[in-house]
Amino acid sequence: MTSDPQRAPIESVTIIGFGLIGASLALALKRRDPNVIVRAVDLPAIISRPELADFADETASMEDSSAYRALLAASELTVLAGPVKVVERQVLDVLKYANVVTDCGSTKRQIDAAAQHSTLRAHFVPGHPMAGNTRSGYTAATHDLFESKSWILCPEAASPEALALVRSVVSFVGAQPVEMSAQRHDAAVALTSHLPKLLAGLLVSLCHEAGAEAARGPSFHSATRVAGGDGGIWSDILASNADEVANVAARLARDLSRIAQELQRGDTSGALSVLEHARRLRD
């Protein structure tokens, strides 16, 4: 992606929730087309900070409903970039005033189910950029956060026009749009995101309990890079995807139990087979 200005597929966007994802989206759009009008909506404590002028042309408090609804109506696209439970609460009201709506929630089924109660459901394209950072908040935002990352869209009930608009914006900020159902999305991220987060936490705890901190090396640091995280956000994620996380955790537990039993007998063939199979898949 070059740094030369381009023409964005939209003239204006309202982003509700100015954390890492929302602020990075603002920076990505502005970096490529400085003429895009970015409107930010968040809590008063965030919106009142002077440095937000580096991200947004206009702001409104979530507590001033008339002000932020005016921003929704004035923008071609509204992006809900808060935690899952917040998006779930917001989507029905936002659809009443916005033109086209998408979200960035980490799980999709509950948000999608909430939107089904709106007669304007076709204006909504559920989404999830597969990008992130170990840090959170707008101060961690970067203009290239979405470069070459998948951005999953779940457009089963969306109109072709709404989907086309959201796809064009996703592509414009350097991401690769991928379509799948909300159910398939939640099953996939349970395996690729939610379980790895739990495993990283368990490894850190086991290391501490064993007093093995001095033996931590590159493999341990790589495996535990995502340990920890915002408790509020992860409470929402796990609560909204508990069944799928439980499914993949049970599958992994069965495999680990089998390998552990083999190793106790001195049989290393199963463990070595796992390593070799993984090497071939990664290669």
Side-chain angles (χ1 to χ4, degrees):
M1 179 69 67
T2 68
S3 58
D4 296 333
Q6 304 169 63
R7 181 73 179 271
I10 54 173
E11 295 182 357
S12 60
V13 61
T14 293
I15 301 172
I16 303 180
F18 236 67
L20 171 67
I21 297 297
S24 292
L25 178 59
L27 291 178
L29 287 166
K30 285 288 194 181
R31 175 83 169 203
R32 290 160 175 79
D33 185 351
N35 295 316
V36 174
I37 298 171
V38 174
R39 302 177 170 109
V41 178
D42 209 314
L43 297 171
I46 300 295
I47 293 301
S48 62
R49 295 176 184 174
E51 60 267 33
L52 220 66
D54 296 334
F55 299 86
D57 303 287
E58 301 177 42
T59 62
S61 167
M62 293 175 68
E63 296 181 358
D64 186 345
S65 57
S66 62
Y68 88 73
R69 286 169 178 171
L71 297 190
L72 302 182
S75 297
E76 295 161 83
L77 177 66
T78 293
V79 181
L80 302 175
V84 172
K85 289 295 183 185
V86 174
V87 173
E88 189 180 341
R89 292 194 300 268
Q90 291 172 335
V91 66
L92 285 179
D93 185 65
V94 168
L95 279 168
K96 296 175 185 175
Y97 304 95
N99 292 295
V100 174
V101 181
T102 189
D103 80 297
C104 301
S106 299
T107 61
K108 298 270 65 85
R109 286 176 295 168
Q110 291 190 4
I111 293 171
D112 186 58
Q116 296 294 345
H117 296 287
S118 173
T119 58
L120 299 171
R121 172 62 183 82
H123 296 180
F124 179 50
V125 183
H128 180 200
M130 302 309 297
N133 197 321
T134 54
R135 297 166 56 215
S136 60
Y138 70 87
T139 56
T142 62
H143 68 86
D144 59 353
L145 186 69
F146 310 111
E147 283 280 358
S148 302
K149 302 295 193 304
S150 296
W151 192 310
I152 298 174
L153 302 176
C154 305
E156 297 154 284
S159 70
E161 295 78 13
L163 175 59
L165 180 67
V166 174
R167 283 185 64 95
S168 67
V169 172
V170 166
S171 298
F172 184 71
V173 298
Q176 299 171 349
V178 178
E179 295 178 27
M180 63 178 65
S181 69
Q183 174 63 51
R184 184 181 170 203
H185 167 276
D186 286 4
V189 295
L191 179 60
T192 64
S193 177
H194 307 162
L195 185 61
K197 188 81 168 179
L198 290 175
L199 288 175
L202 288 170
L203 284 171
V204 170
S205 296
L206 285 172
C207 180
H208 176 72
E209 291 169 10
E213 284 90 349
R216 292 178 298 188
S219 293
F220 187 85
H221 286 293
S222 295
T224 59
R225 183 184 63 83
V226 297
D230 186 307
I233 292 174
W234 277 94
S235 175
D236 281 1
I237 291 172
L238 292 174
S240 63
N241 208 28
D243 56 341
E244 293 295 350
V245 177
N247 288 339
V248 293
R251 287 168 55 192
L252 181 63
R254 287 194 297 269
D255 288 343
L256 284 174
S257 178
R258 172 180 53 79
I259 291 172
Q261 291 171 11
E262 292 171 352
L263 291 173
Q264 286 173 343
R265 299 194 301 267
D267 180 1
T268 63
S269 60
L272 291 173
S273 176
V274 168
L275 296 178
E276 174 60 19
H277 185 56
R279 184 192 65 78
R280 289 199 304 268
L281 290 175
R282 287 183 63 87
D283 289 345

